[in-house]
């Protein structure tokens, strides 16, 4: 079924008499006053959060329980979701429950498909929650637990979750158009072209980086390969079950799917100790080929068959494990051993990553608080599957809060282990050496103490030959998780099991981002090519589907393949751009959202996305400036290039290079990274300038505003707005003869 062209509409009333495109006839009324009971409950929630923040803020060097960090975060999340997210949905966006979404109007069973909001929440969360919330906060713990916690919680409530929800809303109003295409349609051809180029280039880099993390985690791991591989046939079964065998039976298929998933995880351990282990022990190059093939297949198959059920299944694993970690924290009450703020926060010479707290702690944390990648999913697969506009709050805002909670658990995992062990694990070999003796001496120089015997014992406890310089964040998260779980279940003798379980869990966590990201990249490329050839505007057009999917997997697959073959090549060359590129992408999304708020007559609410935009631009452009112009070779790309070029002239080989050829590679990498940093920053500035021009024009001459929003069409679907139906929604479902999953109503309900 071909997707129709988005029609140009002005701000005239819609057919049902709404005041503007944002004020649909089914817009929810402002929330009424709280009942005394509700008021008491929310006052208690606020008090829990406030006490948690108070304890964190007032501690002066003493160790405090990680449970206080948990209380501060959960209390804040609950208040943010209940009040701020509802305010944005009801008052600012004015979500319309009577308006048909593109999933309903364009349902073709391939890319457009109305999906139960519980399954879609699982898909959306699994698609956006990649390496960032697990890795970034762990690395940022170098600065202490307090800066990370403040930004993760405040950032998600006022920036990250807002971006995701607002982007999802506006894309849903535009037949699920991609972020770059919305920029072109609403900002203009110049800013739009810059956005399309920047977004697609950054997308390829992000996917290749995430894929590299998975390859490194699964290489020579038969347990991980088997368990994760089994999620594919399980997901196919779940897709057929929901579509053909037992339509709408989400609870049934969830129970079956989770049981099969747990069996696959346990069986992975059996396989690893059996004669089959050799078959599932794969080299990195083999994993790359399998991942490229899987990414392509997941991109072209109907979304209900593999992608949505697999992401939904993975969410049980992701959320379930993180929730158990939180319960473990409450039971074991581990203390935060990392200082609240370390000296590295002010000095900027940390061994894990160089740079001062501002801006680099915000760049490093990335996805746990604000992620540009999320906007691609929110304008990619999700708006083509959402049943009702009223669900943007739970799916857009709620899924991002859940990811932020993952980031909080990563902070806890990093900060409950001894700081000396943290820095020994996360510092490169060039800084701490390759033996436990040299590592102990180096860590002592940092201001933290750990003995060589303690380092050796930590590795022995998790059955690793060494934990030194296991950089990247994943091993540290696994250490923290094993510490928590072994304190509750099995004691120290189970540390090795929980450590390797965590490594497998992280690979599963990230893989769902790669397959969904590939499909999103396909949509983005098809939207772009649709500006040249109209057939591509139908994102389910078979030739376009296959061509665009091949280009996207070919792009990230190439960088991944070269990166696996060459430690200094391929995606390894672009890895340093990951954090900044992701945050620059968020600037594009927030700029598009702010422009749309202004153009659609919501000028007084433009600060909702405008303030986060201003902060993100300040952070990312400062980081870009320092990466380009800093004289510190640990920070500045061109400073690093000059250092290695001088070494080449002097005939010296500097680490990490091992020979003169690698010295030349380092020079090339630093030059490419520096040039791309400049290019991305310039493209973002073009987008911002054109967005500002468009906003000023809309304010000065409202009559000239043109929106690419599709006309209002009445919805025939009845479905709850949240994961749990309210009393009113249950009555509406019952009147329509539907269960809690909702569905399409063929005849009007009296």
């Amino acid at each position: 079924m071909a997707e129709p062209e988005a029609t140009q509409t002005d701000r005239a009333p819609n057919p049902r008499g709404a005041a503007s495109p944002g004020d649909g006839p089914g817009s929810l009324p402002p929330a009424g006053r709280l009942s005394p009971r509700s008021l008491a409950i929310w006052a208690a929630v606020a008090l829990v959060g406030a006490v948690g923040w108070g304890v964190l803020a007032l501690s002066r060097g003493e160790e405090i329980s990680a449970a206080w960090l948990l209380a501060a975060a959960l209390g804040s999340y609950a208040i943010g979701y209940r009040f701020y997210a509802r305010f944005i949905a009801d008052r600012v966006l004015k979500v319309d429950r009577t308006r048909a979404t593109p999933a309903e109007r364009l349902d073709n069973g391939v890319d457009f498909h109305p999906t139960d909001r519980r399954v879609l929440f699982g898909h959306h969360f699994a698609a956006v929650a990649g390496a960032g919330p697990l890795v970034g906060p762990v690395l940022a713990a170098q600065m202490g637990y307090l800066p990370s916690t403040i930004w993760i919680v405040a950032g998600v409530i006022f920036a990250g979750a807002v971006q995701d929800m607002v982007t999802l809303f506006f894309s849903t109003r535009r037949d699920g158009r991609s972020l770059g295409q919305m920029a072109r349609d609403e900002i203009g051809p110049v800013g739009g072209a810059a956005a399309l180029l920047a977004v697609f280039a950054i997308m390829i880099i992000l996917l290749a980086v995430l894929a590299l993390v998975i390859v490194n985690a699964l290489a020579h791991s038969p347990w991980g390969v088997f368990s994760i591989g089994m999620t594919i046939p399980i997901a196919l079964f779940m897709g057929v079950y929901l579509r053909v065998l037992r339509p709408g039976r989400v609870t049934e298929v969830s129970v079956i799917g989770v049981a099969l998933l747990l069996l696959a995880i346990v069986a992975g351990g059996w396989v690893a100790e059996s004669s089959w282990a050799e078959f599932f022990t794969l080299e990195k190059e083999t994993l790359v080929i399998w991942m490229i093939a899987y990414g392509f297949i997941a991109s072209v198959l109907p979304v209900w068959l593999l992608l949505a059920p697999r992401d939904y299944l993975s969410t049980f694993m992701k959320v379930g494990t993180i929730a158990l970690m939180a319960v473990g924290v409450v039971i074991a009450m581990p203390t935060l051993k990392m200082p609240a703020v370390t000296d590295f926060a002010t000095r900027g010479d940390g061994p894990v990553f160089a740079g001062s707290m501002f801006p680099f702690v915000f760049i490093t944390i990335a996805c746990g608080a604000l992620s540009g990648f999320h906007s691609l999913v929110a304008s990619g697969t999700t708006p083509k599957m959402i049943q009702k506009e009223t669900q943007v709050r739970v799916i857009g805002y709620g899924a991002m809060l859940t990811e932020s909670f993952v980031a909080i658990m990563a902070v806890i995992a990093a900060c409950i282990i001894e700081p000396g062990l943290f820095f020994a694990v996360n510092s490169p070999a060039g800084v701490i050496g390759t033996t436990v003796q040299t590592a102990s001496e180096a860590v002592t120089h940092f201001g933290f103490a750990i003995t060589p015997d303690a380092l050796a014992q930590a590795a022995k406890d998790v059955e690793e030959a060494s934990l030194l310089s296991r950089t990247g964040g994943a091993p540290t998260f696994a250490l923290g998780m094993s510490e928590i779980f072994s304190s509750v279940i099995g004691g120290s003798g189970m540390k090795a099991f929980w450590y390797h379980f965590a490594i497998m869990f992280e690979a599963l966590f990230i893989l769902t981002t790669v397959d969904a990201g590939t499909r999103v990249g396909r949509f983005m490329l098809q939207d772009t090519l649709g500006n040249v050839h109209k057939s591509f505007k139908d994102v389910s057009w078979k030739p376009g589907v296959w061509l665009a999917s091949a280009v996207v997997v070919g792009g990230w697959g190439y960088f991944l393949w070269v990166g696996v073959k060459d430690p200094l090549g391929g995606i390894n060359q672009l890895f340093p751009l990951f954090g900044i590129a992701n945050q620059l992408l968020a600037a594009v999304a927030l700029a598009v959202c702010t422009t749309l708020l202004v153009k659609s007559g919501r000028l007084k609410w433009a600060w909702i996305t405008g303030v986060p935009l201003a902060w993100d631009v300040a952070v990312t452009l400062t980081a870009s400036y320092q990466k380009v112009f800093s004289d510190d070779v640990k920070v500045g790309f061109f400073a690093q290039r000059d250092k290695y070029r001088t070494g080449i002239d002097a005939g010296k080989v500097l680490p990490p290079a091992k020979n003169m050829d690698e010295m030349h590679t380092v020079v090339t990498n630093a030059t490419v990274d520096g040039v791309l940093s400049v290019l991305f920053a310039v493209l973002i500035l073009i987008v911002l300038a054109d967005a500002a021009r468009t906003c000023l024009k809309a304010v000065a001459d409202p009559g000239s505003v043109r929106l690419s929003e599709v006309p209002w069409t009445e919805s025939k679907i009845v479905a709850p707005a949240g994961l749990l139906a309210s009393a009113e929604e249950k009555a509406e479902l019952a009147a329509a003869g539907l269960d809690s999953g909702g569905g399409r109503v063929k005849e009007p309900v009296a």
Side-chain angles (χ1 to χ4, degrees), residues 24-43:
S27 299
L28 298 178
R33 292 183 178 180
L34 295 175
S35 66
R37 178 173 175 273
S38 296
L39 187 61
I41 292 173
W42 286 107

Side-chain angles (χ1 to χ4, degrees), residues 508-544:
L508 174 65
F509 207 103
I510 301 166
L511 182 59
T512 52
T513 304
V514 175
D515 53 17
T518 300
R519 197 179 192 98
V520 170
R522 188 251 285 181
F523 291 148
M524 190 185 311
L525 183 57
Q526 286 179 273
D527 275 350
T528 302
L529 295 176
N531 296 312
V532 179
H533 193 291
K534 289 187 177 181
S535 296
F536 283 97
K537 286 187 177 293
D538 174 10
V539 294
S540 299
W541 180 53
K542 285 291 195 301

Side-chain angles (χ1 to χ4, degrees), residues 107-153:
D107 182 9
N108 60 9
V110 180
D111 295 310
F112 294 88
H113 177 64
T115 304
D116 186 287
R117 82 275 182 201
R118 294 163 294 187
V119 175
L120 186 57
F121 178 91
H123 158 73
H124 186 81
F125 171 73
V128 300
L134 294 174
V135 172
V138 169
L139 303 181
Q142 168 183 265
M143 304 289 190
Y145 65 78
L146 194 56
S148 300
T149 302
I150 292 174
W151 172 237
I152 288 170
V153 176

Side-chain angles (χ1 to χ4, degrees), residues 45-357:
V45 171
L47 182 61
V48 169
V51 171
W53 283 116
V55 172
L56 294 177
L58 297 176
S59 64
R60 292 294 182 268
E62 69 273 17
E63 290 184 357
I64 62 173
S65 172
W68 291 115
L69 195 155
L70 205 61
L74 290 176
S76 301
Y77 292 153
I79 296 296
Y81 180 78
R82 170 59 180 83
F83 296 99
Y84 192 53
R86 184 168 180 177
F87 161 75
I88 295 174
D90 295 358
R91 297 287 299 278
V92 179
L93 302 179
K94 298 186 183 297
V95 292
D96 185 352
R97 63 185 175 85
T98 69
R99 187 183 187 120
T101 65
E104 179 179 357
R105 290 185 293 101
L106 306 175
D107 182 9
N108 60 9
V110 180
D111 295 310
F112 294 88
H113 177 64
T115 304
D116 186 287
R117 82 275 182 201
R118 294 163 294 187
V119 175
L120 186 57
F121 178 91
H123 158 73
H124 186 81
F125 171 73
V128 300
L134 294 174
V135 172
V138 169
L139 303 181
Q142 168 183 265
M143 304 289 190
Y145 65 78
L146 194 56
S148 300
T149 302
I150 292 174
W151 172 237
I152 288 170
V153 176
V156 73
I157 291 173
F158 297 109
V162 174
Q163 171 206 258
D164 294 10
M165 178 171 67
V166 177
T167 301
L168 175 58
F169 171 80
F170 281 126
S171 180
T172 300
R173 285 280 175 99
R174 286 156 179 79
D175 282 345
R177 290 295 188 207
S178 65
L179 177 65
Q181 188 61 38
M182 284 199 296
R184 188 182 186 280
D185 293 341
E186 302 291 355
I187 294 178
V190 176
L196 285 168
L197 177 60
V199 169
F200 190 74
I202 291 172
M203 177 84 170
I204 295 298
I205 293 174
L206 298 184
L207 289 175
V209 168
L210 294 172
L212 181 64
V213 175
I214 298 168
V215 169
N216 289 336
L218 292 182
H220 308 106
S221 174
W223 183 9
V225 169
F226 176 83
S227 298
I228 291 176
M230 286 303 297
T231 62
I232 297 174
I234 294 173
L236 291 170
F237 167 74
M238 291 174 66
V240 173
Y241 192 96
L242 278 176
R243 177 83 173 187
V244 180
L245 301 178
R246 299 276 286 173
R249 304 293 183 176
V250 175
T251 303
E252 284 182 19
V253 80
S254 299
V255 172
I256 296 171
V258 171
L260 291 174
L261 175 62
L262 294 175
L263 177 61
I265 293 170
V266 174
W270 299 338
V271 168
E273 297 174 359
S274 71
S275 58
W276 290 7
E278 184 178 354
F279 180 77
F280 291 98
T281 303
L282 304 181
E283 298 295 328
K284 290 184 178 181
E285 292 83 356
T286 306
L287 281 168
V288 170
I289 294 172
W290 277 110
M291 284 189 60
I292 291 174
Y294 170 72
F296 180 83
I297 293 170
S299 178
V300 301
L301 283 180
V303 70
W304 59 266
L305 180 59
L306 176 60
L307 191 66
R310 188 182 181 283
D311 288 351
Y312 177 60
L313 180 66
S314 299
T315 295
F316 280 100
M317 178 69 174
K318 294 180 176 184
V319 176
T321 301
I322 294 299
L324 287 176
M325 277 187 71
V327 172
V329 168
V330 174
I331 295 174
M333 299 290 280
T335 58
L336 297 168
K337 295 182 172 63
M338 186 71 72
V341 182
T342 68
D343 292 339
F344 297 126
T346 53
R347 295 207 310 258
D349 60 349
V352 180
F353 63 90
S356 57
M357 184 169 68

